[in-house]
Amino acid sequence: MAEALLRREIEEIKTLADRSTAYAALLHLQRLSADDPSSMEALSLHSPSLIPLVLSDIHRQDEEISSQALKCLGFMLYHPSLVPTVSEGVAQSVLESLVKLIMTTRMKAVCNLGIWCISIQQLGAAFVEFSMDLLLKAVVHALDNPFGSLSTTFEAMQAVMKLAAQLGGHMRDMSNIWVPPVYRRLLSTDKRERNMAERCLLKTKSIICPPPLLLSKAVMLELKQKLLPSMMDAVHDHRQKVHMIQAWGWYICLLGSDALSDRHMVNKMLKIPEQTFSDPDPQIQIASLVAWECLVDALLPPQIIDLLMKTPQDVIQQIGPTPSASWRHCNDKINCLLKRIKVMMMPLQGIIASKCDISVRSCCLKTWRYLLHKLDLVVNHPSILETTLWPILKSVFSRGPDHQSIGLWTSCVDLLDELVLSKIKVGEMATTAEQHSDNLVNNGALAGPAINCKASWKDFPVKWSPWDISNLDLHLEMIGTIVSPELMATLTSENRTQAFNAALKIFRSVLQGVKVELKRLSTQYDRVQICIKTIFKFTKEVCETINLEQNSNQLLWIALEFVKVIREELATNILASPLYWVSLDLKYIHDLQCSETIDYPNVSDLGVGSLAYMDMISPIDYTTILYLSVIAQSVQEKSDTDGIILAMQHSNILFGTVNPLINLHAIVCFLNMHLGKPVHGRLSWLPVWKFIAEGLKKHVDGVNDLSQLTTDGATATYDAVYWFLSYPFLILLFPELVFTSRSIGKPSEKQLISSHNELELEPVIEAWKTLFGSYSLAYQMLTSSMHNFTEGLCELLARVLNENIRILQDSIESLNAKAQNLVTVSVYGEVVIHMLNHIQLLNVATSESKVSNKGSDNILLKTKGSDHRRQCSSIKNSLGLVGRFLGLSLTFMNANPLVEHEVMSRVFTTLASFVGHLVLKQDILSFLEIISEALAQWLSFCALMYGKMKQGNTICQLHRFWAQTLDCLQRSQPSIVFDSFFLKDQPSLLQTALDHPHPPISNSSIAFWNAIYGQKGYMQYHHCLLPVLNKLSRSGRINLPKNSRVILAKNGCLLKEPRDASHKYGEPMLQKRNSELDNAEDPENDNGHVDIVNMGLRRKRLKMSEHQKKLAGHQGRVQGIHGPGPGMDVGFGQKSKHPLGKKELRKPEHILEMLKRAS
């Protein structure tokens, strides 16, 4: 029904005499049918019959009829339902008719519609190709139409774009025919005409760039004759500069690389942008940069790049060694390319270095990035990098980030980071870049002046290849530019942080690339050594040039981060390897070594290592000392500890290795270098030590495999730990460090402060305790005993005291006129308390159960004078430290008799608790051997100062300690035999205690005497006891043996019992005795008390070898008379060699015989 109706309407249209009305009705019918598929299908059946009539009417001289007919023809050529009905012959007739109409008509509207029909036609390419030459003539005629109509030109350019899309190859071959009429309009003064021309060139860019030879020649000819002179005239007109430089870019693009080989022509062309780049107008500069990218395309044609990068690309695909060696075969070609690149880089460098608008610099960097992109893999050639990359980066980085250019600055940072990371991600990046490049080629976006300066850098990826390790210094130089001291001084705090974070980011990437290189087995030793030295030289320069005077906390943290990155990224097997060495060339070490030196503790004789300027050390030690040197600069610059606290928050990086002891020795050596330096610097190292100790503790606690905490041997392993733990005590031995202490709240909540800078020592002591506890526990788990660790530390601390007695004496003398506490006493007291608590809880408290349960697993001590094993604990050095502390504290109390030192009360309390847990006979005898002398001195001192001390807590706790000592003697296992031999070892103690002015001490001493010695027979008393015993016995307070026969020697002393002392007493007690004891002068002073000064710190302990010699000589004299002579004692280090033996000596008749001989 619809088809019949449509057929009738078409027949009516054909028969209409008014052709204008007929075509108007047909056009209306076509538009109505466009929305109805069934009507369009019916129309497609009758349209072919209308085409001959339409082709006849388009040539009518009536403009209205011709125009209406062309509109109907255009609909037939455009609609996809009607185009298939057009046969090849009809199509050819249509195109020829349109060409004839366009070329001959004198009516502008008819010409417009004729060219419009060509621009919208959807005929097959084969139909169009047959009439291509005719169509192109018609199009060119329409471009330069005789009517001067812009609308006709516009339709002609639309036809050009249509034909280029249908037959690109043919259009490229004949581009010299249709392109000139288009590009000539680029210099038109009419903006609409310029826009039409540029739009047409953009649409056809993919087929005309790079230009064919004929087009290039045509452009060059027109440039020389007309276009170039026109541009030279327009460059002086500010209003025409923008569109003129845009036209210049297109002309460069259409000239092509072959035409640009004409140097004379190129020089003339370059005069145009030379004028526009220097113009202060940002729009002109941006237009110049966009046009400059056309020069990049022309000077870097794909064929040149492909030729240069063939061999390097093969290398990249294999991801083998860096391709620098592969460039050698094409150095000549590279040199020619460099000349072109230098031309392209000149204005870019000038703009980046100038103070132009940020939009101009942004566009400049985009053009520069496009240049790097176009260079493809050739960009990795060292000479190319030196010409293109480094100058721009250095210029950008030297300006630093600000609120306007932060985006551009960040883009450059990311670009450099991409290059650096290519060492690791080259395979992935090369593939991605290649795929991206292929996409751009397929999209036709590689050439032409219309590249948007706002386009993302991701649109132009750079194909980085793995950089050669020989260029390491160049990468580090760029990082150094980012953080140069001159730049940092001008930046705000926020921008400074951004700069340093960027530098750290790139530095980390560089080290990751270096690590990849060092992992290769082919990397030679010399190259590894050079890499390490280069990295450390750069890091040293960064750390040493940072100015900590301004915003020191921030800069301090940043400097330390560089060291941290080295420790994190470079493998420990490189840093800690014994194969690689670097010189200790730090300026801080040099200045420290040359600075003023004062008196300091003697550590050289104690086995601690030392460091000096330019010493050769391992890389890991270098990083440790560099880290600490940066902190030292902060210590010197600031009086408070804020910077130290900030810096040491990341002190755990010092122990980032598996074994923290690897570089602990370097830490100790560095700390010890400050011992002889001015007070402020030394004092500030205590909080530094505290943070290091906390980091070390955290690492030790976190180690899963405790065997990692040991090195070659147990002794060597813990020497560094011992020295580190002893450092605070070395600091506090200086005479000019005068401290005060105050108690806040409970006695355990003390605060120790410095009179100079209010330095709190409480955190230092706490850190010491926790670190000691961690290592003690680790050692115990490794060896099933913690005593060896504790004993080793105590031995070292005691040696420190012994070697520095003069300093201690000077300290005490300096306090004679000051009623202030000596902090050394306080700190040592805290350590002594801590040690005693550890011994009490971890060993002595369970010793009795060990004796009964472990049997042969107990700790055994076999002495030279015994043929059997005896149970004892390893507490000799610990007790030795306690004894030295008691002597030190007593010396201080002599200098400050009016001071009630709270720590002494706590020490005596802890000692009382410790003694209360002593059970083993050997432990008790060892305790008496070591502590008795200091204890006697304290008892004597308290007696002398009783009038001032009787109200204090110290004497009360001393009494408690003394009472526990007397109790432990009575509960010994096995029991102690209290006879003349044992009594003679304690004359000073009993002499002072029995007649002590403090009633609790004297009462407990008298009660002990009456219970133990009061019932004995055959007792011999040391002559110093006789006055006290006489006084107390006459007053009835003390019991003397009633049935004993007292035999006096010639010098008035009582004769000793002749029996083997080694059978009754432990070896430690016996070995201490010597022949000088009986012949020594009476240590009493005029008041009957011990001279504690002469018997104090100045008394040197005799070594065992010398002591044994004296024992042997003494025993020989005794054997010569078959018994003890007057005032003489037997030796206790050897077994008795009397021919009668022990049993015979105990018979009464032998005793009488010996007494007769002695008389």
Side-chain angles (χ1 to χ4, degrees), residues 704-730:
N704 295 324
D705 183 7
L706 293 177
S707 62
Q708 296 174 352
L709 298 179
T710 60
T711 53
D712 297 336
T715 302
T717 297
Y718 286 97
D719 278 349
V721 181
Y722 292 155
W723 276 112
F724 183 74
L725 287 171
S726 68
Y727 181 76
F729 308 103
L730 294 174

Side-chain angles (χ1 to χ4, degrees), residues 80-95:
S81 298
L82 301 179
V83 170
T85 63
V86 180
S87 63
E88 181 179 355
V90 173
Q92 184 177 354
S93 299
V94 170
L95 294 177

Side-chain angles (χ1 to χ4, degrees), residues 64-97:
E64 184 176 359
I65 296 174
S66 179
S67 297
Q68 293 290 2
L70 285 171
K71 292 178 182 179
C72 293
L73 179 61
F75 186 85
M76 296 176 187
L77 297 177
Y78 173 76
H79 201 281
S81 298
L82 301 179
V83 170
T85 63
V86 180
S87 63
E88 181 179 355
V90 173
Q92 184 177 354
S93 299
V94 170
L95 294 177
E96 290 177 355
S97 181

Side-chain angles (χ1 to χ4, degrees), residues 675-709:
L675 291 177
K677 302 307 172 182
V679 177
H680 170 67
R682 287 197 316 276
L683 204 58
S684 299
W685 278 103
L686 284 178
V688 173
W689 180 94
K690 177 184 77 75
F691 281 106
I692 297 176
E694 291 173 350
L696 180 57
K697 176 192 178 299
K698 182 178 180 181
H699 187 87
V700 172
D701 292 344
V703 172
N704 295 324
D705 183 7
L706 293 177
S707 62
Q708 296 174 352
L709 298 179

Side-chain angles (χ1 to χ4, degrees), residues 781-812:
M781 296 175 67
L782 281 171
T783 63
S784 298
S785 171
M786 69 160 278
H787 285 298
N788 289 338
F789 179 81
T790 306
E791 288 292 284
L793 177 60
C794 290
E795 180 185 13
L796 178 60
L797 293 177
R799 289 168 58 199
V800 168
L801 285 175
N802 288 341
E803 294 291 338
N804 296 280
I805 290 177
R806 181 179 59 82
I807 294 179
L808 289 174
Q809 292 172 342
D810 293 341
S811 298
I812 294 170

Side-chain angles (χ1 to χ4, degrees), residues 30 119 211 279 308 373 548 570 579 657 817 855 1059 1084 1103 1124 1146:
Q30 288 175 334
S119 67
D279 195 286
L308 288 173
H373 165 75
L548 294 178
L570 293 186
L579 301 177
T657 59
R1059 61 181 67 194
E1084 293 183 33
K1103 296 185 177 179
R1146 292 180 181 178

Side-chain angles (χ1 to χ4, degrees), residues 683-691 693-694 724-725 727-729 731-732 752 759-772 827 830-831:
L683 204 58
S684 299
W685 278 103
L686 284 178
V688 173
W689 180 94
K690 177 184 77 75
F691 281 106
E694 291 173 350
F724 183 74
L725 287 171
Y727 181 76
F729 308 103
I731 284 283
L732 300 175
L752 300 176
L759 175 67
E760 296 184 2
L761 288 178
E762 177 80 11
V764 177
I765 296 173
E766 188 62 28
W768 191 96
K769 292 179 181 178
T770 56
L771 180 61
F772 170 79
V827 174
E830 294 295 329
V831 173

